[in-house]
Amino acid sequence: MKRVLVTGASGFIGRHCVPLLLCKGYEVHAVRRSRADVQATGVHWHEADLLDAKEMAEVVSDVKPSHLVHLAWYAVPGEYWTSAENIRWVQASLELVRLFVSHGGQRAVMAGTCAEYDWNYGYCSEEITPRSPTTLYGVCKHSLERMVSSYAALAGVSVAWGRIFSLFGPHEYESRLVPSVIWSLLRGEVVSCSEGNQVRDYLYVEDVASAFVALLESTVQGPVNIASGRPISVKDLIGMAIKELHGEQLVQFGALPTQNEPPLIVGDTNRLRTRVGWNPSFSLEAGMRLNIAWCRTRLDSINTVAP
């Protein structure tokens, strides 16, 4: 049986990967720092801090995984772009890969980011767009990809690198764009936004998880964009939530200044579609409806237990 170790298994993407891996017949070993609300029958949970070299070594030695899905990273909104924690995660990730190889690992898939690209180009292709990250987060991710790829080639291990673009869905940090709008509209609160003309490439989080599992199952190596390839303005994406929640009178576009952001960031998905053989299962509209339903249920449960 294929034995997979999943880091960040209770996180935003990881919690959606776990059941998919079980369905594919993997023996799933999932790492989390502490107990979380993830429910998945048949999963072997390991509580460990991956930044603790001893704890990480114990987990890998105990599991001896044939496969690895490495999603864990420092991701606090507003902080992760410049945080020195990125450097610690490069160090921890390199050690994780070394341990994985030393214990007989065969195939690994790791989470990268669209922030590795030169955003001045707007359209991001694995093969032609320059990698020129401008943030510490992007630099660390790209540096890790280069080091892991070189080491894997020497060790004879198969490694793929999924570059994540924009995503949304259940369990996302509430301070981020989509959930902050949904929660405010559900509560009947006014939402202040920028003009929202920035064009991005969004995927529903379950599709992101599905893409990572498909990438793991494939033989494709190297960078692969995890994206929809469908450009959409932030204003139009938010508009889906506004329409579903009848919040036209509550959202104020242009009330906030537009930050110094690239006007266009969209991924070339040819490699994902043709080499990996993957396509999204959820439209953005369907994903938004599911996200709203999840938030509504969560809000109802909060209101039910409130004194």
Side-chain angles (χ1 to χ4, degrees):
M1 177 181 287
K2 297 177 292 186
R3 185 180 299 117
V4 61
L5 180 66
V6 183
T7 72
S10 59
F12 185 31
I13 300 172
R15 65 175 62 233
H16 298 286
C17 284
V18 167
L20 296 175
L21 290 165
L22 288 170
C23 289
K24 294 290 185 180
Y26 286 87
E27 178 181 304
V28 179
H29 291 259
V31 181
R32 60 188 175 189
R33 184 172 294 180
S34 59
R35 293 189 179 277
D37 62 343
V38 180
Q39 302 296 325
T41 303
V43 177
H44 303 272
W45 287 101
H46 302 266
E47 291 185 20
D49 182 355
L50 295 180
L51 296 176
D52 185 312
K54 181 179 179 181
E55 290 186 13
M56 179 166 54
E58 289 175 352
V59 169
V60 179
S61 176
D62 179 51
V63 175
K64 294 181 174 60
S66 58
H67 292 68
L68 171 67
V69 177
H70 181 37
L71 301 170
W73 200 269
Y74 182 77
V76 176
E79 297 181 12
Y80 71 93
W81 293 109
T82 58
S83 175
E85 288 295 302
N86 287 293
I87 296 173
R88 297 183 69 200
W89 275 101
V90 171
Q91 295 170 327
S93 299
L94 287 171
E95 179 62 9
L96 173 62
V97 172
R98 188 193 69 79
L99 289 166
F100 174 69
V101 171
S102 69
H103 287 284
Q106 302 166 14
R107 170 73 171 165
V109 171
M110 307 178 72
T113 170
C114 66
E116 296 172 58
Y117 289 111
D118 185 339
W119 281 347
N120 290 318
Y121 285 75
Y123 184 69
C124 302
S125 169
E126 302 96 332
E127 297 179 349
I128 63 174
T129 306
R131 265 70 71 194
S132 183
T134 59
T135 64
L136 181 60
Y137 171 68
V139 168
C140 285
K141 283 285 190 175
H142 183 54
S143 299
L144 177 62
E145 186 267 323
R146 293 286 79 209
M147 287 186 279
V148 168
S149 294
S150 180
Y151 174 55
L154 292 172
V157 174
S158 175
V159 175
W161 183 264
R163 289 195 177 125
I164 302 168
F165 281 66
S166 300
L167 67 164
F168 69 99
H171 299 282
E172 186 175 10
Y173 278 106
E174 292 181 15
S175 61
R176 292 182 63 84
L177 175 66
V178 173
S180 67
V181 170
I182 293 174
W183 281 98
S184 293
L185 293 180
L186 286 172
R187 293 171 174 140
E189 300 169 351
V190 173
V191 184
S192 296
C193 301
S194 68
E195 292 288 349
N197 293 323
Q198 313 95 308
V199 175
R200 297 292 182 261
D201 190 325
Y202 275 90
L203 266 180
Y204 183 57
V205 66
E206 288 188 39
D207 270 335
V208 175
S210 171
F212 268 100
V213 173
L215 185 55
L216 182 71
E217 290 269 277
S218 76
T219 59
V220 175
Q221 299 192 58
V224 177
N225 288 338
I226 306 297
S228 69
R230 172 187 172 184
I232 184 171
S233 71
V234 169
K235 185 174 184 178
D236 285 346
L237 182 73
I238 294 175
M240 295 177 187
I242 295 171
K243 181 179 179 181
E244 286 292 321
L245 295 170
H246 308 289
E248 291 81 358
Q249 304 304 315
L250 292 174
V251 179
Q252 300 177 344
F253 287 105
L256 298 177
T258 300
Q259 302 297 318
N260 184 25
E261 299 179 17
L264 172 69
I265 304 174
V266 62
D268 175 1
T269 58
N270 181 65
R271 189 167 163 82
L272 179 62
R273 288 185 290 104
T274 62
R275 294 288 306 282
V276 180
W278 182 88
N279 285 288
S281 296
F282 299 89
S283 67
L284 295 181
E285 293 83 358
M288 186 64 73
R289 288 193 293 271
L290 289 168
N291 198 5
I292 290 170
W294 181 85
C295 289
R296 181 177 278 122
T297 299
R298 185 81 178 268
L299 182 60
D300 288 344
S301 66
I302 293 172
N303 291 338
T304 298
V305 300

